[in-house]
Amino acid sequence: MRLRFSPVLILLAAACATAQTVDYAKQVQPIFDSNCTGCHKGSAAPVGLQLDNPTAVFHGSTNGKVIVPSDSKNSLLIQRISDTTGDQMPPAGPLSKAQIKIITDWVDQGAKADITQELTDAPRPQPAGPPPAITTVATATQERALLDYYCVRCHSGSNPEGDMHLDKMDTAHIDKDADKWEHVVRKMRAGMMPPSGNPRPANAVYESMIAFAENDLDRHKQAELPPPGVHRLNRTEFGNVIRDLLALEIDPSKFLPSDDSTRGFDNIAGSLSLSPALLEGFTAAAEKISRLALSDVSEATSKVCRVPEDNSQDYHIEGMPFATRGGLLCKYEFPADGDYVFKVYPINQGLMDNNRAFGEIRGEKLELLVDGELVKMYDWDREVGTGAPVHGGTADVHFHVNAGLHTVAVTFPATQLAPSNDLNEHFLRSTIETGGLPGFKFYPHVGKLDILGPNKPTGAVDSPSRRKIFVCKPANAAQETACAQRIVTTLARRAYRRPVTAEDTETLMSFYQQGRNEGGKFDMGIERALERILADPEFVFRKEAEPANVANGKTYRITDLELASRLSFFLWSSIPDDDLLTVASQNKLHDPAVLEQQVKRMLIDPRSEQLVSNLTGQWLNMRAMQTLFPIPGIFPDFDDNLRFALRKEVELFFSSIVHDDRSVIDLLNGNETFLNERLAQHYGIPNVYGSNFRRVTLAPEFDMRRGLLGKGAIEMISAYPNRTTPTVRGKTIMQIFLGVEPPPPPPNLKIPQLADDGNATHAAKPTMRQQIEMHRKNEPCATCHKIMDPIGLALENFDAIGRWRTTDDGSPIDASGMLMDGQKINGVTDLRTAMVRYSPEFERVVAEKLMIYALGRGTEYYDMPTIRAIVRDAEKNNHKFSSFVLGVVKSDQFQMNQKLMSGNASQNQQRASR
């Protein structure tokens, strides 16, 4: 029988042959090894082109890339190995056609290569012989010997780990490479080096290695004190300043956009830019706020207060009157005296336009209160829950309110709290499904409140802001000029944070007179002068003058007035008060005793809660809580009430460290927390009732809740909406508590996802540990994951919303692991013990975070000797929080600047913003 071949089949066969995937490790690298790596290997490779590993091939030469994935025609490497003019690679003789085809096909197929083995399994030479017989490092020679034995084997050669050539760093002159040695010290203090599984010196020897380097760095510390730069008020500071200057509560987000954050904070001078849009925002804000402060309102405005979508209203809300349930609280700065209209809207039942409110329980009443005074008692069934009010709001309720900040409450009297007769108990979040569920009855819920007014405004005779502004009132026209001058100079002194000059007074009085003439009233003149103050660059910016007689590169002490501003914005995020300004104006603030007295006074002032709010919100990332929405189908009990309670717990716990002046180590292992009934129920802690938070000493069975590691909010910010993630948790804990983090994965690396068991049939779901281990088998960065994962797995008993658990989907949780220093741990208690052992590094993190926040610039290697000095001094005072604050405030970094060398201004400004 004769076989007949179709041309189509031949072409298909050829295409299939061509389409066979080229394996880089088995087919391409052997060609390079046999023909090219004799020259193209290591630091001496011609034009820097190394062909001994895929990463180097992708990197290319000093002239650029040599391969273009999927495009062999434009790949320089292919051009050179295919050259037939005598300029081919290798120069000793051309590759075979088959070899050229393999490499060409590999490039055209996307130049794919598995670099896992190269990154994770590349063998390192083991130390030869026994370790040096050194018990304490006292000399550079001893330091060198230990580094050579334990470290140099990885940190040397043409491709050292972390690009750190420890073999070339001089232990006798550590100050010559201070930036690199500070990096080494930070890694060792965090226990990250040598890596887990590598030989490691005894703890005492290890500590002495660090101490030797630190002592040398401290002895040779460099006097570098770059000024932070011009500091614009950020959005939070702007709102606080308006409050303290004018006794006016505003929402700064209504006037200014959010600020960029660098080095973990949004008050870094170098990142607080001023765009044309932002400049316009400050100008518009000055006009609006000056009118609001003087109640100059000519038309009605509206305020809408909404309940978060995942809020539950089945129980009492903190701040509401006793014996009430649910509702909403709305703090509103009423712009003027007058008649205001209030309208209440319920949560609609489901998504259909059915004119029915959510909630099946009948007979409810609803109270509308202003500052605790009952304005209206609604019959829910008749006036709110059905018909037009569901979408159009309740009938208008008119009520006279004076200008100023008032609290409006809409809430239900708690008259029906007896257990329901439902067959099943619904989830704690009552609004998962607002369309109604068969077999369940829900309480009615308020959706929003509209406030409109004032109608026929009459201004204001008296308000907190007017009392703050009008330090005098003229009895007649003859007294107006003198009184106006007193008012504007008083405001300008605090707004500009310095004594007022004659030139200031002249400028402001000209604006006063202009407004007085145009408006025909004394108040209009004051309003115009106030607007000018709020738009002045000296109000918006903090600038520290550079003395003219200081030589380039020399340091100088900032003025007492500049020191007062630094201090007030550090501790209060606001302007100095009269007491601080007076001391500074008398040039007494730089005196150590006076400065310490002011610091302690300011720390007990309620305004220091801003320090707590900003540190917890940014360093501990509590601001992220408002953006976290766990999946309701997995966590049906989670609601906004719990979100608020979790964040509040951390803020109150941190506040107790600050205001009780406790040891900062209590942040790691403090045996108390702050709970209300909702959070206590979440944690399973009994005998806590009501919406108010109270201090609770933790019983032994709740030992897992000690310190920050046991706080549910810390667990939430490091989890996904549907599950925990030990890798992210481990990284988060390292960042917060140790001030370090593992390096990012290599660029252009496809990171394998956790196994998806969605297609499994009758198969047990892998535990999180099993999924992590499967993930790590394919992970090129396994070395880094050995740092993060054990920390995260130790916290695996906390689920994604911070609840304690012993099983995950029916499987017992294994929280064991080994830290980088070789210490075995099993669960949060062991991890907390390890963190306490590393508390010196945690204290350095505390000092460094305070320094960054206080200065408004990032810390650098030359700041580290001061950071260590602050920690040593605080240790003498039982690690009290005030000792860290005083250490920062008394430091040269806080009290001094350095005149920039010519041409270095831009460099230092960039450095400050990092």
Side-chain angles (χ1 to χ4, degrees):
M1 180 179 178
R2 186 176 179 179
L3 298 176
R4 300 176 62 185
F5 292 93
S6 166
V8 175
L9 292 176
I10 294 174
L11 289 173
L12 285 173
C16 291
T18 302
Q20 289 181 350
T21 302
V22 177
D23 187 310
Y24 177 89
K26 294 180 179 179
Q27 296 173 269
V28 178
Q29 189 63 57
I31 297 174
F32 291 150
D33 290 342
S34 301
N35 300 277
C36 308
T37 56
C39 296
H40 289 277
K41 182 178 182 179
S43 59
V47 295
L49 177 59
Q50 301 178 37
L51 299 177
D52 57 334
N53 64 81
T55 300
V57 175
F58 294 144
H59 181 270
S61 71
T62 54
N63 297 323
K65 304 289 186 183
V66 296
I67 59 170
V68 180
S70 304
D71 188 359
S72 62
K73 290 183 179 180
N74 290 310
S75 296
L76 180 60
L77 179 66
I78 303 303
Q79 295 172 7
R80 292 296 306 280
I81 65 175
S82 305
D83 187 89
T84 58
T85 65
D87 192 29
Q88 82 283 341
M89 284 181 56
L95 300 177
S96 69
K97 291 183 179 180
Q99 290 173 323
I100 293 173
K101 185 177 186 306
I102 289 173
I103 299 174
T104 302
D105 288 348
W106 171 70
V107 171
D108 284 334
Q109 291 171 13
K112 298 176 182 178
D114 181 7
I115 63 173
T116 302
Q117 295 300 314
E118 174 202 348
L119 291 176
T120 62
D121 297 335
R124 290 282 183 177
Q126 294 298 310
I134 299 171
T135 56
T136 302
V137 176
T139 66
T141 302
Q142 293 174 322
E143 184 87 337
R144 178 79 271 162
L146 290 169
L147 287 173
D148 287 344
Y149 186 83
Y150 292 106
C151 308
V152 166
R153 63 195 182 91
C154 293
H155 294 282
S156 61
S158 61
N159 189 30
E161 293 288 346
D163 198 30
M164 292 289 292
H165 293 267
L166 289 180
D167 57 328
K168 298 179 181 179
M169 291 166 59
D170 188 354
T171 56
H173 300 90
I174 286 178
D175 56 299
K176 290 184 177 180
D177 292 303
D179 55 337
K180 295 179 180 178
W181 280 105
E182 288 291 356
H183 182 74
V184 171
V185 165
R186 186 182 291 267
K187 290 287 188 179
M188 293 184 70
R189 277 289 177 202
M192 294 176 63
M193 292 294 160
S196 177
N198 289 23
R200 193 182 188 93
N203 287 340
V205 179
Y206 186 83
E207 178 63 31
S208 71
M209 290 178 68
I210 303 173
F212 179 85
E214 288 180 339
N215 291 338
D216 197 274
L217 288 164
D218 294 346
R219 281 194 301 270
H220 299 92
K221 66 178 181 179
Q222 304 177 34
E224 290 199 44
L225 304 169
V230 178
H231 190 130
R232 171 179 60 77
L233 292 178
N234 68 18
R235 193 163 71 177
T236 299
E237 292 167 343
F238 182 75
N240 293 338
V241 170
I242 294 299
R243 177 202 65 206
D244 294 341
L245 180 67
L246 303 175
L248 191 67
E249 293 284 352
I250 65 165
D251 179 358
S253 66
K254 302 295 185 184
F255 301 97
L256 303 174
S258 60
D259 300 292
D260 293 332
S261 177
T262 57
R263 289 298 185 96
F265 294 104
D266 62 5
N267 70 336
I268 305 302
S271 65
L272 291 171
S273 58
L274 185 66
S275 64
L278 192 56
L279 180 61
E280 184 178 342
F282 275 108
T283 304
E287 179 186 0
K288 294 176 183 177
I289 291 171
S290 59
R291 294 181 61 189
L292 183 62
L294 276 83
S295 303
D296 178 16
V297 177
S298 59
E299 59 185 22
T301 59
S302 65
K303 168 71 173 180
V304 179
C305 300
R306 299 181 185 274
V307 175
E309 290 185 2
D310 56 351
N311 180 268
S312 296
Q313 299 181 36
D314 285 357
Y315 39 86
H316 183 262
I317 295 175
E318 185 178 21
M320 288 291 192
F322 181 70
T324 61
R325 171 191 64 78
L328 67 84
L329 276 173
C330 181
K331 293 185 181 294
Y332 178 44
E333 187 80 38
F334 286 78
D337 297 353
D339 176 73
Y340 289 84
V341 174
F342 299 84
K343 295 176 73 71
V344 178
Y345 296 74
I347 290 181
N348 186 41
Q349 185 180 63
L351 301 176
M352 305 302 291
D353 187 11
N354 51 25
N355 284 334
R356 289 204 303 267
F358 169 70
E360 294 78 20
I361 295 177
R362 301 300 175 212
E364 289 284 290
K365 304 294 183 182
L366 183 70
E367 296 178 344
L368 170 65
L369 307 104
V370 176
D371 294 333
E373 179 184 351
L374 182 64
V375 175
K376 168 73 174 177
M377 177 75 79
Y378 296 95
D379 182 305
W380 180 271
D381 298 335
R382 182 171 54 84
E383 298 179 88
V384 186
T386 57
V390 174
H391 296 291
T394 56
D396 291 353
V397 173
H398 292 261
F399 187 71
H400 183 88
V401 184
N402 291 331
L405 183 67
H406 298 276
T407 300
V408 182
V410 182
T411 187
F412 298 89
T415 57
Q416 301 194 66
L417 291 183
S420 69
N421 57 4
D422 290 346
L423 296 178
N424 299 304
E425 181 180 358
H426 70 73
F427 296 115
L428 292 179
R429 176 179 170 182
S430 55
T431 54
I432 294 178
E433 171 55 67
T434 59
L437 292 172
F440 295 95
K441 289 184 178 180
F442 295 93
Y443 286 111
H445 283 42
V446 173
K448 69 175 182 177
L449 167 70
D450 280 359
I451 304 173
L452 181 66
N455 299 307
K456 301 178 181 179
T458 59
V461 177
D462 181 51
S463 69
S465 59
R466 290 182 64 87
R467 289 194 295 271
K468 189 81 170 181
I469 293 168
F470 288 97
V471 294
C472 62
K473 294 181 180 180
N476 51 56
Q479 298 178 2
E480 286 188 354
T481 300
C483 182
Q485 182 170 322
R486 182 183 172 192
I487 290 173
V488 299
T489 54
T490 300
L491 288 170
R493 176 177 180 267
R494 296 205 60 204
Y496 299 161
R497 307 172 286 278
R498 59 166 176 78
V500 179
T501 66
E503 183 180 356
D504 296 326
T505 303
E506 182 180 353
T507 299
L508 294 175
M509 286 303 294
S510 68
F511 275 85
Y512 157 77
Q513 198 62 54
Q514 183 184 39
R516 174 71 176 83
N517 294 340
E518 292 178 2
K521 293 192 301 182
F522 178 76
D523 285 14
M524 296 303 296
I526 298 298
E527 180 183 319
R528 184 69 58 84
L530 176 58
E531 180 182 347
R532 174 63 177 80
I533 290 173
L534 299 182
D536 196 294
E538 291 213 46
F539 172 74
V540 176
F541 297 96
R542 284 192 286 137
K543 185 175 71 171
E544 295 166 348
E546 189 177 81
N549 60 344
V550 177
N552 287 341
K554 296 298 183 180
T555 59
Y556 59 90
R557 187 171 297 278
I558 62 176
T559 69
D560 274 27
L561 288 167
E562 292 166 347
L563 182 60
S565 282
R566 281 196 179 189
L567 187 59
S568 65
F569 278 96
F570 172 30
L571 300 182
W572 291 346
S573 292
S574 187
I575 53 177
D577 62 2
D578 286 331
D579 191 351
L580 185 59
L581 267 181
T582 299
V583 171
S585 299
Q586 296 169 349
N587 203 33
K588 296 179 180 179
L589 188 59
H590 67 275
D591 179 88
V594 175
L595 184 61
E596 182 170 341
Q597 184 270 330
Q598 288 292 324
V599 168
K600 290 183 176 180
R601 176 186 72 87
M602 295 172 73
L603 279 175
I604 63 175
D605 189 282
R607 282 169 287 190
S608 65
E609 279 299 329
Q610 285 296 314
L611 179 65
V612 174
S613 175
N614 282 308
L615 288 177
T616 57
Q618 298 181 80
W619 171 29
L620 303 183
N621 201 23
M622 289 298 102
R623 288 184 180 178
M625 288 294 290
Q626 292 306 116
T627 68
L628 302 181
F629 294 90
I631 295 177
I634 301 175
F635 303 105
D637 285 331
F638 186 88
D639 56 13
D640 184 68
N641 313 58
L642 180 58
R643 180 188 293 109
F644 168 81
L646 287 166
R647 177 173 179 173
K648 187 77 169 179
E649 177 193 24
V650 172
E651 292 174 341
L652 290 172
F653 179 63
F654 198 97
S655 180
S656 72
I657 302 296
V658 174
H659 294 116
D660 297 345
D661 202 14
R662 295 163 54 187
S663 166
V664 299
I665 298 176
D666 284 352
L667 290 169
L668 297 176
N669 65 356
N671 188 33
E672 62 182 25
T673 192
F674 293 79
L675 305 173
N676 65 359
E677 182 176 355
R678 180 69 180 89
L679 186 55
Q681 185 179 14
H682 184 64
Y683 285 170
I685 296 177
N687 304 320
V688 177
Y689 303 103
S691 62
N692 292 330
F693 282 80
R694 76 292 315 264
R695 191 189 301 255
V696 175
T697 300
L698 295 167
E701 60 267 30
F702 297 106
D703 178 81
M704 78 288 285
R705 295 295 174 186
R706 295 179 62 164
L708 286 173
L709 282 176
K711 304 297 179 271
I714 298 293
E715 317 306 336
M716 268 199 72
I717 62 170
S718 56
Y720 289 155
N722 61 329
R723 62 172 175 83
T724 59
T725 166
T727 299
V728 174
R729 266 193 184 161
K731 181 178 178 180
T732 301
I733 297 304
M734 291 172 63
Q735 291 171 327
I736 291 176
F737 295 96
L738 300 177
V740 294
E741 59 182 85
N748 302 319
L749 179 69
K750 183 178 180 181
I751 301 177
Q753 298 299 308
L754 294 181
D756 182 4
D757 65 328
N759 296 324
T761 304
H762 304 297
K765 176 184 177 182
T767 65
M768 180 54 66
R769 174 179 289 274
Q770 290 169 339
Q771 293 183 68
I772 287 290
E773 290 173 350
M774 288 187 289
H775 175 70
R776 204 160 57 189
K777 286 180 180 179
N778 302 313
E779 174 57 70
C781 299
T783 300
C784 297
H785 276 259
K786 286 196 299 184
I787 303 172
M788 302 177 286
D789 292 351
I791 297 174
L793 287 168
L795 299 172
E796 191 61 14
N797 284 109
F798 297 107
D799 69 8
I801 58 173
R803 283 182 307 195
W804 183 257
R805 58 183 182 171
T806 56
T807 62
D808 180 15
D809 201 29
S811 300
I813 290 175
D814 179 3
S816 62
M818 180 183 293
L819 299 178
M820 287 300 293
D821 61 1
Q823 179 183 357
K824 293 183 178 180
I825 59 173
N826 189 359
V828 63
T829 301
D830 287 352
L831 178 61
R832 186 174 61 244
T833 301
M835 289 295 174
V836 172
R837 188 160 63 84
Y838 283 106
S839 60
E841 180 59 22
F842 174 68
E843 292 181 80
R844 286 172 176 81
V845 172
V846 173
E848 188 172 7
K849 293 295 183 182
L850 287 172
M851 181 73 80
I852 294 171
Y853 181 73
L855 295 179
R857 71 163 173 86
T859 51
E860 298 293 335
Y861 69 91
Y862 44 75
D863 296 309
M864 292 303 107
T866 300
I867 297 294
R868 287 189 286 271
I870 292 172
V871 173
R872 286 193 297 269
D873 290 342
E875 185 177 3
K876 301 172 187 176
N877 196 28
N878 197 29
H879 317 278
K880 288 185 176 180
F881 185 84
S882 64
S883 299
F884 287 85
V885 172
L886 285 167
V888 169
V889 170
K890 292 181 178 181
S891 69
D892 287 346
Q893 280 83 349
F894 194 80
Q895 298 194 23
M896 302 183 75
N897 278 339
Q898 185 174 26
K899 187 166 184 178
L900 301 175
M901 300 291 287
S902 178
N904 282 357
S906 176
Q907 176 184 347
N908 279 273
Q909 185 64 26
Q910 291 175 3
R911 181 168 59 189
S913 68
R914 291 203 303 267

